[in-house]
Amino acid sequence: MIRRALVAALTATAMLMAASSAAAEFEVKEFSGLAADSAGNSYTQAGGHPYAVSATIGVPDHPSPDEPVFYPNVPDGNFKNIHVEFPRGLVGNPSAVRIHCSEEQVLGNPEQIGSQLCPVGSQVGTVRLWLGYFGVVTDVPLYAMEPRDGVPATFAFAILGSVVRSDAQVRGGDYRIGVDTTKIPQLSVYKLRFTLWGTPADPSHDPERSCLGGGTGCSTEVPRVPFMTNPTHCAAGAQETRLRMDSWQQPGVFHEAGFAVDENGNPTAVDGCEKVPFEPAIEVTPQSAAADSPTGLEVAIDVPQDGLADPGGIAASHLRGVKVLLPEGMAVNPASASGLGSCTTAQIGLGSEAPVRCPAESKIGEVAVDTPLLEEPLGGDVFLARQGDNPFGSLLALYIVAEGSGVRLKLPGRVDVDPTTGRLEATFEDNPQLPFERLRVKLFGGPRASLLTPPACGTYESQGTFTPWSGGAPVVSRSSFQVTSGPNGAPCPAGSFAPRLEAGTVSPIAGEHSPFVLRVSREDGTQRLGSLSATLPPGLLAKLSGVTYCPEAALAGISGAAGSGAAQHAAPSCPAASRVGGVTVSAGGGSSPFNLETGRAYLAGPYKGAPLSLAAITPALAGPFDLGSVLVRSALRVDPVSAQVTAETDSLPTILHGIPLDLRALAVSIDREHFTLNPTSCARMQVDGTVRSASGQTSRLAEPFQARACRALDFEPALGLKLKGKTSRGSYQQLRAELKAQPGQANIGRASVTMPRSIFLAQENIGTLCTRPQFAAEACPKGSIYGRARAVTPLLDQPLEGNVYLRANGGERELPDLVADLRGQIDVELVGYIDSADGGIRTRFQNVPDAPVSRFVLNMKGGKKSLLVASRDLCKSQNRAKVKLDGQNGKAHDFRPQLKVSCGKKR
């Protein structure tokens, strides 16, 4: 009872003193500390275990004006909350103390002053208290308690019937160890000193160790495991210990202080970094051993930490930087973009302890961190950072988030890609100065895994480059894995190239407009697509009338600059009037390739010697990524004899900003309304394709094509012939032939016109001929021109027109050929073979293009350039030609039109 009364009296006196100081000024008078060896000297070995680490905090005090003898040190305010942050890299090991004390045990027996009920092995240090009455200075034990939820370690000490708790935490941002002592009882304490033992179970601490029941001088049988470890970074300058505290008189008004020189006058820095061990190793293991396949990936980094648990040892250096270089051939899988999201800097909250708010769709993997400081591993996720909106402003970046036991780590990493090969390297720099034994990062697998395995079987080596906080040269560690099969367990890829071609119109009704679709694809494990050329069947044409060209300036402004894809999608560079179709690109391996944002195909002007071109512009918008816009231009060549169209693409892009596109399929749909026109021939034809791989291998393909319902087309073109000149025998004639066809009918396939016997070939006027080489070089002599021709077609805005030449045929036929060289938006050569039949001159056009011509006019010269001469007076009888026209649909139309001759009214 006497002891209980004494405790009550002391408590009341302390409370009285606290109340009397309520009006005083509260501030930091003293803040100092020391990491010491057993002799009290400054302990500075990097990675070593100090004998003790202490911090002293004091506030101004004054003698009581009423009782200066009994109350010589009245504090100018009462401690309420104290926050101490130790230098970066100074760490405590909560798992070193396996025995904990409860709050009841910390309080002890209220019937006995100084009684101790906590297990001896739970003590981790002492707290010295300077009290304001009687000049009392007392030491109380500091115990390890079961940690509160959300903190890795909790300590407590008792003072005058109250338990004071201190929580140790890892601060977000700089990852310092901080100790928060909160809600200190409002007692007359003007100074206190916290001391943490470096190795709590070490017998050297027995004299200070509190014993069960009371007194000091006990030993413990718990293992000797270091509790405190010095930083492993020998910084050029001293590292500061920080303080923030407030008082009961002014709660929330915090006073700050710091020190960078310890109590012995030495800078708070460590040395001896050359003695700090550092032997990291890496292991990289893909989920799939199949070539050219989506794969998850596990990366494990081991840093041996034997010295962390050895009281006389030196802990391994903390890991400052790591670069993980994956083997060439392993690259980003474009298929992973489907449904993928990204995390912004605001959502990750780097530099803060705030919870992570990254969207679930940005999670691409998991992480686990084994550290000897905690009994349970830290666990968390790997998030994809937002393009550009990340600490590096880069295209690719990652966030690793690991948390547990009140510790939350947020680590940003930059991912660099080789712009030529797509090789990946992840870099995490300035990592927390905290120890770990094993870090495991596991990227998700599945059809839309983040990565693709290399395209061929073999051994592939990854490399880890590790930089220690202790300084010195980086350590390189290598890891190998095997690719042992082809995709889906098939044999290893042998460099084959077997693309597939699909092509045709959606509705192949003869003479009707219908969208045209061409698609080329390849299987996993085969060579990448390089370029494509396709020759369309004769008669499969396009109505260019009313379609403008995309300006060259607009095409020149399209680039692969990151960030321009969305702008191109929202406001295309080419005018809508030039759009003729769409483009779809499938990229990435496995069963679920990613379909890029649908592009647009535009008609453009001359390109690489071709009269027309097709500009396919695809915004490279893949999930959260904007890789700019891809322009693939195709020269559209028109065969001048058959009018067949051949499209020849430029080289297809294989990599964009270091991301391999890994094209699996490319589809072009020419779907402009009333643009693509089916042939009027129902003969069996095909789309001929030549596909080249990125390595130069060629594959020739053909896709059958056949129009239908040709016989439903009418075929009744009309031909008018008119001669101009003298009508007497031996006179030379000027000829005008005009052909007219009705819209919607079959096109002409062959035409034969035989003049009556009253008209002979004027061979004496056949003079200068154009040779084939001259014709090909567009260098025919002027004397080889014998007329002009003009063709009007609904497919073009302007007619085709040009000279009519006599062209040598190389001796294949007795007489030269008659060639109409039609020029315009495209060029067409209409070749007529001259011979005789039924005693009259005949001209046969055997290969008329399957193209609609509403009007064709042929004007042949008269006089000395005339090829026609009258064999008798043309006005004495009617002169009828024989015309045989064969439609592309197989129908024939033969008739005998009368040659119109100027004979006067009487004749």
Side-chain angles (χ1 to χ4, degrees), residues 62-359:
H62 60 275
S64 169
D66 301 324
E67 300 287 345
V69 175
F70 295 102
Y71 309 114
N73 303 102
V74 178
D76 293 348
N78 304 114
F79 294 105
K80 182 180 183 183
N81 301 298
I82 297 175
H83 309 283
V84 176
E85 290 185 2
F86 292 103
R88 279 179 291 187
L90 178 67
V91 296
N93 183 3
S95 64
V97 183
R98 303 284 179 155
I99 300 176
H100 296 125
C101 187
S102 68
E103 184 169 342
E104 291 77 9
Q105 291 171 325
V106 172
L107 276 173
N109 187 351
E111 299 291 333
Q112 182 179 359
I113 295 178
S115 65
Q116 305 297 333
L117 300 180
C118 287
V120 174
S122 65
Q123 187 175 353
V124 296
T126 62
V127 179
R128 175 165 292 182
L129 303 167
W130 282 262
L131 302 176
Y133 44 85
F134 304 114
V136 172
V137 178
T138 184
D139 291 331
V140 297
L142 181 66
Y143 294 105
M145 302 185 69
E146 190 70 31
R148 301 190 196 197
D149 291 340
V151 297
T154 298
F155 312 107
F157 64 93
I159 175 174
L160 298 178
S162 299
V163 175
V164 180
R165 287 176 176 264
S166 297
D167 292 325
Q169 293 179 297
V170 178
R171 304 293 189 198
D174 57 7
Y175 298 105
R176 294 170 178 256
I177 302 298
V179 178
D180 296 339
T181 305
T182 57
K183 296 182 180 179
I184 301 171
Q186 193 171 354
L187 301 176
S188 183
V189 177
Y190 65 91
K191 187 164 71 172
L192 46 78
R193 179 184 181 88
F194 293 91
T195 299
L196 294 171
W197 295 335
T199 304
D202 193 284
S204 62
H205 295 297
D206 288 351
E208 301 175 87
R209 201 181 313 277
S210 295
C211 305
L212 281 171
T216 58
C218 311
S219 61
T220 179
E221 299 299 324
V222 299
R224 293 176 61 244
V225 179
F227 180 60
M228 300 300 297
T229 304
N230 268 352
T232 64
H233 178 44
C234 297
Q239 299 188 64
E240 188 179 41
T241 302
R242 302 171 181 169
L243 168 70
R244 294 179 71 245
M245 67 179 187
D246 67 346
S247 66
W248 283 100
Q249 287 72 31
Q250 291 181 304
V253 178
F254 284 92
H255 301 266
E256 299 183 1
F259 67 85
V261 176
D262 67 20
E263 293 175 359
N264 291 336
N266 298 315
T268 54
V270 296
D271 51 30
C273 278
E274 69 280 358
K275 300 178 182 178
V276 177
F278 186 63
E279 298 177 351
I282 192 170
E283 184 179 357
V284 178
T285 308
Q287 183 186 67
S288 174
D292 198 27
S293 302
T295 185
L297 188 74
E298 183 167 336
V299 178
I301 297 174
D302 294 294
V303 181
Q305 295 289 349
D306 298 338
L308 197 65
D310 181 1
I314 297 177
S317 173
H318 303 145
L319 180 63
R320 180 169 192 168
V322 58
K323 293 180 182 289
V324 178
L325 179 64
L326 297 183
E328 191 166 325
M330 176 169 274
V332 172
N333 177 20
S336 64
S338 183
L340 186 64
S342 61
C343 185
T344 66
T345 52
Q347 291 168 333
I348 189 66
L350 294 174
S352 75
E353 299 175 20
V356 174
R357 296 182 291 108
C358 295

Side-chain angles (χ1 to χ4, degrees), residues 489-697:
C492 286
S496 62
F497 185 57
R500 181 181 177 187
L501 176 68
E502 302 168 79
T505 55
V506 174
S507 177
I509 304 299
E512 296 288 337
H513 291 281
S514 174
F516 172 80
V517 179
L518 182 144
R519 184 177 188 271
V520 62
S521 59
R522 70 175 184 88
E523 297 295 327
D524 293 349
T526 61
Q527 293 188 38
R528 268 58 171 172
L529 299 174
S531 63
L532 166 69
S533 67
T535 300
L536 305 186
L540 185 56
L541 303 172
K543 184 179 181 181
L544 305 181
S545 175
V547 183
T548 60
Y549 292 165
C550 180
E552 291 296 324
L555 296 175
I558 298 171
S559 68
S564 64
Q568 183 65 223
H569 179 71
S573 299
C574 295
S578 63
R579 184 190 179 279
V580 295
V583 180
T584 301
V585 176
S586 296
S591 59
S592 302
F594 177 74
N595 293 325
L596 269 73
E597 177 70 36
T598 300
R600 301 176 177 92
Y602 299 94
L603 186 67
Y607 184 64
K608 291 187 175 180
L612 305 167
S613 60
L614 192 70
I617 304 173
T618 304
L621 302 175
F625 296 113
D626 187 338
L627 302 180
S629 296
V630 178
L631 168 63
V632 176
R633 200 161 177 183
S634 302
L636 300 179
R637 306 190 187 280
V638 181
D639 187 292
V641 175
S642 66
Q644 279 183 273
V645 177
T646 297
E648 300 174 351
T649 71
D650 289 341
S651 294
L652 302 176
T654 58
I655 193 167
L656 194 61
H657 300 295
I659 306 298
L661 299 183
D662 193 38
L663 299 181
R664 302 292 163 138
L666 172 65
V668 178
S669 175
I670 307 300
D671 57 7
R672 184 186 179 102
E673 190 175 6
H674 299 128
F675 183 73
T676 309
L677 184 66
N678 283 319
T680 60
S681 168
C682 287
R684 292 182 178 178
M685 296 178 278
Q686 62 188 27
V687 178
D688 292 311
T690 299
V691 185
R692 294 176 180 82
S693 72
S695 62
Q697 192 169 336

Side-chain angles (χ1 to χ4, degrees), residues 878-898:
Q878 288 188 349
N879 302 280
R880 290 187 176 273
K882 294 180 180 179
V883 178
K884 293 181 176 293
L885 301 179
D886 294 328
Q888 294 281 354
N889 63 347
K891 290 184 177 180
H893 181 52
D894 300 341
F895 56 98
R896 292 176 60 87
Q898 180 178 342

Side-chain angles (χ1 to χ4, degrees), residues 808-872:
N809 56 44
E812 297 176 3
R813 288 170 295 279
E814 182 179 354
L815 296 173
D817 297 334
L818 187 71
V819 182
D821 186 20
L822 302 174
R823 300 299 181 97
Q825 197 169 5
I826 60 173
D827 297 339
V828 174
E829 298 172 16
L830 192 61
V831 181
Y833 306 129
I834 303 174
D835 62 4
S836 61
D838 299 330
I841 182 174
R842 179 176 67 175
T843 304
R844 292 174 298 138
F845 297 89
Q846 297 290 85
N847 298 296
V848 180
D850 188 359
V853 175
S854 56
R855 183 166 174 260
F856 177 78
V857 178
L858 175 68
N859 286 301
M860 300 299 297
K861 292 183 177 181
K864 292 182 179 181
K865 296 294 291 186
S866 173
L867 296 180
L868 302 178
V869 61
S871 62
R872 59 174 180 258

Side-chain angles (χ1 to χ4, degrees), residues 386-431:
R386 177 71 57 85
Q387 174 187 350
D389 182 16
N390 60 64
F392 320 103
S394 59
L395 173 66
L396 294 176
L398 301 175
Y399 296 127
I400 289 179
V401 178
E403 51 190 326
S405 301
V407 177
R408 178 179 289 131
L409 304 179
K410 303 175 184 178
L411 309 179
R414 185 183 71 251
V415 179
D416 296 307
V417 288
D418 187 290
T420 303
T421 65
R423 192 174 189 181
L424 295 165
E425 183 178 57
T427 302
F428 289 82
E429 297 178 322
D430 291 328
N431 294 301

